[in-house]
Amino acid sequence: MTNHSETTGPSENGDISRDGGSPGRSAHDTQVTLRTPAELADALPYLLGYRPEDSMVLVALHDRAGRGRFGGRARLGIPANKDDWESAARQLAQGLVTGGERRGARAEQMVAYVCQEPASGESGRDVMRRLTPLAQLLRTECGRLDVPVIEALCVSDGRFWSYCCPTEECCPPDGAPMGLPGTSVLAAAATYAGIQVRGSLRELRARLLPWETGAILEQETALDSAGMALVPRILDGAFRADVAEGTLALAELVIARYAAAAPVSGTHRADLRDDTLLSHDEAATLILGLQDRTTRDRAAAWMEGDEAGPALRLWRALARRCVGPYGEHAAAPLTLAGWVAWSTGDDLEAREALAMALGADPDYLFARLLHQACNEGLDPESIRRCLRTERTGRTELMSHTGRASQDGTAALGDVGPPHLDATPCLDAAPCPDDASATASGTRRRRRPRTVDTADDRRPRPEDSRPRRVRAEHTRPGMSGPGATRRRAAEKAERSETGGGRAAQEGRRSGNGRNQRDE
């Protein structure tokens, strides 16, 4: 589920009347009054920042002086199986209502939307009829939470229908046409306020989805080769640091290459240009190298300033290269893309990238932490401070050990790899599993999935493709010097307090701040 906080869209400080709505820019500016289903249908892209497709959306309303204002928004894809509609509607309603309660702003009313384009042989009216049970489930689930739905709309094939309005003059059976994009009063107000609709959800996600071109086979072959070469080295403590350093050096090289490239207009053309600047072998090496959690944590430090833009382009490009059976590997670059987007103020791309990372790997803890923090509208500065501190510490340690080596007193290898010994992992801290854990201040630690790392589980030359591994996890009961080193590293990781804890501390302080602001 993708949540959208109160700060998304043009209605942050606006009003909405109980008979249909009216988001405005502020109490002292000219208000834009929305009173009809047509105006509410037109408002949806501006509330989310994009045009939703194949989606069900809930928008919360909060009372203020007898009127209302738009609050949080939440979107969820429409399940293909109708048997899943009830659970999806319950998840959407509970997620938005409980999220508002945690921020001290419980929703008092809802506006519901179901959006889907007709299938082959269907009309928009057919879609409206087919989705009627889903709209009713949304109304029922919100009613169970004592939050009535005052309007439910279906948007399909350039038309809209109201499930609540019985007046044919207002809402005819064949639907009413949507206005031309950008021609409404709300569109003018949003443009004046600097709010932009960034195309459709499909266009936004296309920048992060795996390739569907003829180059898939070449990229898949490169990933196979890189996996055979790198996975055994990542699993071996003696070579893991070398792989990390090589991965980060290559990433830094590509980021510099992107920064020097001439700009082009249009997101599609820009993505094609970035794809041509990254070879198959380079992409494969980076994708496999980032599966090591500590390497990924160090890469997350490219989050601001002149580095952030090219780094975000690289993470997008790597996500597009996770083709075929390597789809789960996209969790790392997608999470990095979401983190950099959030850190630079693009909450919309951040939420979608993090949601896609969880789609690739639902147990990816770093993505879960960031997705929850982003959805709750927290400030990412606490995580940035942690990453800045660790980056500065590594730089000072490298400088110190380098000088010592020149003096003949010590070598870098004598003090151990800094990113294993000194850098806390961003997802080392537990994440609250439900609203009750957050409210009570308790934390549940999810047991990480273990991956066998004994020799009999390592990729063999005859294997067609390497299994995806999490190099930071080891199997209990292993023996030998390598196992001793890994157990020591694992023990050190459990005691670390990294960006994951910083995210949770920020969440706690952010919740308090929100309550004070309310």
Side-chain angles (χ1 to χ4, degrees), residues 173-220:
D174 291 330
M178 298 283 292
L180 293 175
T183 59
S184 67
V185 176
L186 178 60
T191 301
Y192 178 72
I195 304 299
Q196 295 182 347
V197 176
R198 297 168 54 180
S200 67
L201 180 60
R202 181 181 294 112
E203 292 168 344
L204 180 64
R205 287 175 170 258
R207 309 192 72 184
L208 303 168
L209 288 172
W211 275 352
E212 294 182 358
T213 68
I216 290 178
L217 183 59
E218 295 178 43
Q219 184 61 65
E220 193 174 321

Side-chain angles (χ1 to χ4, degrees), residues 78-101:
I78 297 176
N81 190 339
K82 292 184 178 181
D83 293 339
D84 297 328
W85 284 4
E86 183 175 0
S87 61
R90 182 176 300 113
Q91 177 188 354
L92 190 66
Q94 289 181 346
L96 184 56
V97 172
T98 57
E101 289 174 342

